[in-house]
């Protein structure tokens, strides 16, 4: 229940986040897609929604404490500071490169676009067949609900098909860059097909956040290679669009509504479920910090990938590999995600979390500046791709806990770039030979 001091604290920190966003917006030349600007805007919106939902559709949601607010506020400050220092150093070293970046001259092989898209399409039947086998094990009637249950909470092993989504997203990004450079009929058809293929993989994987992967790649590539500028209004339109899609698929997956009910009957549960996804992680982190936090000082959560890798090579034997999926808590709404800060705080405390976000601010700004300078596929795609963990930082950590998928993307990106060079080299040799 909110008292006067809770309302006052909420107002102070919401306004503070708003001012920090405005400051970043001015400092970084009103570029809404600059990582520090986007990060501060994200947390301003989430805290504002938390306050609004507390008095509307989630009226049992308890207020946040000042100590919890401070974690988020200091996190945005350290992220912004890292971004500022990296950008300052970059501009000092590369005078005028950011403001007067050239248009990309990178050529993209048409044959390679065909090959990548055909391979992604060929993989679909095998992917769907594997998903059907997983669904059978759930013993449920609803295909997508059973599939989601087995993937999220069962022991389903996707095998080699788990790499198909990453491959389809690289294919989509590769074709998207080509389309943004040259908007003709062929590139339009290829773009639509690659989008539908990537979307199909995302739907059958049953993770709604995967849709945000696709959206992040689109926004990033559009920002780097598009001719229209990104404004606050345009960004908010995309936010509303994604939330709408999130709600629709929540109904399809049985997470806030039911396909057996009509649209009107689904509005309230779908809205409430989406609101829980958006703001409950903040309260879950507060519950974790106040009621069950035990700092382990061994990196079991944030360094999980490296511990698992070391165990697979028998380098260590006495370390437990923590589960990615965390237990549910009731705040009083059920949730099992604790914001991106949770893993870092549980490992080494708040200072460690803030230091991590400082370096993440530097890392994101480096990708941003590099993408603007080079405008090639590698840098554009990495900037776009890493928008995903930034945007979902209010929800869960997708930096260190998702290292395996970043490795998948790295492999597919480098193979694509190498093949593109080989196809273009062959093309130029043929032109030279015919010229002689």
């Amino acid at each position: 229940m909110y008292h006067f001091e809770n309302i006052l604290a909420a107002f102070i920190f919401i306004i503070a986040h708003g001012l920090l966003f405005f400051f970043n917006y001015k400092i970084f030349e009103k570029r809404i897609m600059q990582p520090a600007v986007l990060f501060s805007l994200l947390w301003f919106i989430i805290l504002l929604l938390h306050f609004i939902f507390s008095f509307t559709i989630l009226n049992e949601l308890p207020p946040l404490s000042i100590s919890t607010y401070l974690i988020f506020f200091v996190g945005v400050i350290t992220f912004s500071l890292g971004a500022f220092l990296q950008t300052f150093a970059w501009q000092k070293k590369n005078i005028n490169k950011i403001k007067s970046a050239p248009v990309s001259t990178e050529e993209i092989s048409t044959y390679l676009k065909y090959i990548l898209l055909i391979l992604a399409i060929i993989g679909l039947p095998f992917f769907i067949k594997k998903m059907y086998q997983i669904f059978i094990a759930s013993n449920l009637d609803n295909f997508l609900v059973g599939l989601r249950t087995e993937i999220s909470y069962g022991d389903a092993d996707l095998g080699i098909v788990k790499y198909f989504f990453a491959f389809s997203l690289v294919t989509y990004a590769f074709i998207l860059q080509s389309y943004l450079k040259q908007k003709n009929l062929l590139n339009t058809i290829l773009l639509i097909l690659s989008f539908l293929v990537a979307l199909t993989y995302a739907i059958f994987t049953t993770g709604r956040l995967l849709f945000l992967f696709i959206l992040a790649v689109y926004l990033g590539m559009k920002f780097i290679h598009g001719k229209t500028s990104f404004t606050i209004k345009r960004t908010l339109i995309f936010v509303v669009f994604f939330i709408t899609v999130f709600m629709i698929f929540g109904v399809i997956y049985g997470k806030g509504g039911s396909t057996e009910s009509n649209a009107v009957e689904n509005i309230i549960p779908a809205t409430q479920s989406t609101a829980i996804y958006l703001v409950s992680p903040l309260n879950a982190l507060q519950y974790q910090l106040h009621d069950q936090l035990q700092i382990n000082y061994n990196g079991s959560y944030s360094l999980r990938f490296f511990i698992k890798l070391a165990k697979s090579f028998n380098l260590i034997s006495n370390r437990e590999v923590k589960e990615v999926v965390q237990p549910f808590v009731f705040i009083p709404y059920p949730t099992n995600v604790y914001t991106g800060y949770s893993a870092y705080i549980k490992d080494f405390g708040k200072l460690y979390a803030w230091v991590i976000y400082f370096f993440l601010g530097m890392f994101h700004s480096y990708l941003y500046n590099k993408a603007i300078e080079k405008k090639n596929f590698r840098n554009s795609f990495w900037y776009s791709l890493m928008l995903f963990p930034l945007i979902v930082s209010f929800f869960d950590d997708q930096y260190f806990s998702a290292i395996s998928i970043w490795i998948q993307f790295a492999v597919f990106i480098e193979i694509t770039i190498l093949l593109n060079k080989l196809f273009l080299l062959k093309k130029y040799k043929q032109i030279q030979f015919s010229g002689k």
Side-chain angles (χ1 to χ4, degrees):
M1 181 179 179
Y2 274 78
H3 299 290
F4 174 75
E5 59 270 21
N6 302 127
I7 296 175
L8 181 61
F11 268 109
I12 289 174
F13 280 100
I14 290 172
I15 292 172
H17 277 83
L19 291 174
L20 188 54
F21 158 68
F22 183 76
F23 176 78
N24 284 336
Y25 187 64
K26 289 293 184 181
I27 288 292
F28 293 104
E29 301 173 341
K30 298 183 179 180
R31 293 173 179 255
I32 197 70
M33 296 300 289
Q34 204 285 338
V37 179
L38 197 59
F39 190 70
S40 53
L41 175 61
L42 167 75
W43 279 95
F44 167 71
I45 292 174
I46 291 299
L47 289 175
L48 181 61
L49 289 177
H50 184 279
F51 183 75
I52 293 172
F53 291 160
S54 298
F55 291 93
T56 52
I57 55 179
L58 301 179
N59 53 21
E60 295 182 25
L61 197 67
L64 299 176
S65 65
I66 292 178
S67 60
T68 303
Y69 276 121
L70 281 172
I71 291 173
F72 306 139
F73 186 62
V74 176
V76 176
I77 290 176
T78 56
F79 186 98
S80 302
L81 182 60
F84 175 79
L85 291 177
Q86 195 284 328
T87 301
F88 177 78
W90 182 274
Q91 290 176 335
K92 189 175 180 180
K93 183 179 179 181
N94 305 275
I95 299 175
N96 296 326
K97 278 189 176 181
I98 295 177
K99 288 186 177 181
S100 58
V103 176
S104 174
T105 58
E106 183 181 43
E107 189 175 349
I108 291 178
S109 169
T110 301
Y111 288 114
L112 183 56
K113 288 188 292 187
Y114 292 151
I115 292 172
L116 292 177
L117 183 57
I118 289 172
L119 289 175
I121 293 173
I122 290 175
L124 270 176
F126 299 98
F127 185 81
I128 294 173
K129 179 182 178 181
K130 181 65 176 180
M131 293 303 171
Y132 182 76
Q133 292 172 347
I134 293 173
F135 158 70
I136 293 297
S138 70
N139 295 317
L140 296 176
D141 296 328
N142 188 301
F143 174 72
L144 289 176
V145 173
L147 186 59
R148 178 178 175 80
T149 302
E150 285 299 306
I151 292 176
S152 300
Y153 309 111
D155 297 322
D157 181 16
L158 300 182
I160 194 173
V161 302
K162 64 185 176 185
Y163 303 117
F164 287 178
F165 173 73
F167 176 75
S168 70
L169 194 59
V170 172
T171 300
Y172 167 67
F174 190 69
I175 293 174
L176 175 59
Q177 177 171 322
S178 178
Y179 167 80
L180 292 171
K181 291 179 64 176
Q182 187 176 8
K183 296 182 180 180
N184 54 35
L185 179 60
L186 174 62
N187 282 337
T188 301
I189 293 173
L190 293 177
L191 178 64
I192 293 173
L193 288 174
S194 64
F195 170 76
L196 292 176
V197 170
L199 183 63
T200 303
Y201 279 116
I203 291 172
F204 279 92
T205 307
T206 71
R208 283 185 284 175
L209 288 183
L210 294 183
F211 303 138
L212 190 54
F213 249 131
I214 300 174
L215 180 62
V217 167
Y218 172 78
L219 290 176
M221 299 294 283
K222 179 78 171 177
F223 170 71
I224 298 298
H225 299 282
K227 297 179 181 179
T228 56
S229 60
F230 274 73
T231 62
I232 297 176
K233 179 181 178 181
R234 186 183 296 272
T235 304
L236 292 177
I237 290 174
F238 277 111
V239 170
V240 173
F241 169 76
F242 172 73
I243 290 177
T244 303
V245 173
F246 193 86
M247 291 172 61
I248 292 173
F249 277 95
V251 174
I252 295 173
Y253 293 144
K255 299 285 288 184
S258 171
T259 53
E260 298 179 358
S261 304
N262 58 45
V264 176
E265 294 172 335
N266 278 321
I267 289 177
I268 293 178
T271 303
Q272 187 179 56
S273 174
T274 303
I276 291 173
Y277 266 87
L278 288 172
V279 303
S280 67
L282 280 63
N283 288 90
L285 178 67
Q286 177 168 275
Y287 169 81
Q288 190 177 72
L289 295 179
H290 292 176
D291 297 326
Q292 58 174 208
L293 178 65
Q294 291 182 342
I295 301 176
N296 54 48
Y297 296 104
N298 60 11
S300 296
Y301 294 93
S302 61
L303 304 179
R304 177 183 181 275
F305 173 81
F306 302 104
I307 294 172
K308 188 175 181 180
L309 186 65
K311 288 194 70 172
S312 65
F313 286 99
N314 296 318
L315 298 178
I316 57 175
S317 58
N318 58 344
R319 291 292 300 276
E320 178 186 0
V321 178
K322 298 291 185 180
E323 293 293 330
V324 174
V325 180
Q326 298 297 303
F328 274 89
V329 293
F330 296 86
I331 46 104
Y333 305 98
T335 183
N336 66 337
V337 286
Y338 302 80
T339 79
Y341 291 93
S342 174
Y344 310 126
I345 295 176
K346 285 194 295 184
D347 278 346
F348 298 106
K350 298 175 186 177
L351 182 60
Y352 174 66
W354 293 329
V355 170
I356 289 291
Y357 273 94
F358 170 80
F359 284 107
L360 288 175
M362 295 185 69
F363 174 65
H364 274 284
S365 289
Y366 171 80
L367 294 177
Y368 168 84
N369 292 324
K370 197 74 174 177
I372 290 179
E373 178 195 353
K374 298 293 184 181
K375 288 186 180 292
N376 57 19
F377 177 66
R378 178 187 288 113
N379 292 291
S380 300
F381 185 65
W382 274 118
Y383 160 74
S384 306
L385 192 66
M386 294 308 295
L387 289 176
F388 170 75
L390 185 154
I391 294 172
V392 301
S393 60
F394 72 91
F395 186 76
D396 197 9
D397 171 60
Q398 291 295 317
Y399 290 103
F400 288 88
S401 65
I403 287 180
S404 59
I405 197 168
W406 303 134
I407 294 175
Q408 293 175 38
F409 282 122
V411 171
F412 289 133
I413 290 169
E414 294 307 316
I415 290 176
T416 300
I417 293 171
L418 176 61
L419 290 175
N420 189 55
K421 289 180 179 178
L422 292 175
F423 274 102
L424 293 177
L425 181 62
K426 183 178 180 181
K427 173 184 173 182
Y428 293 143
K429 286 184 177 180
Q430 289 175 342
I431 293 174
Q432 290 177 350
F433 180 78
S434 61
K436 292 180 181 180

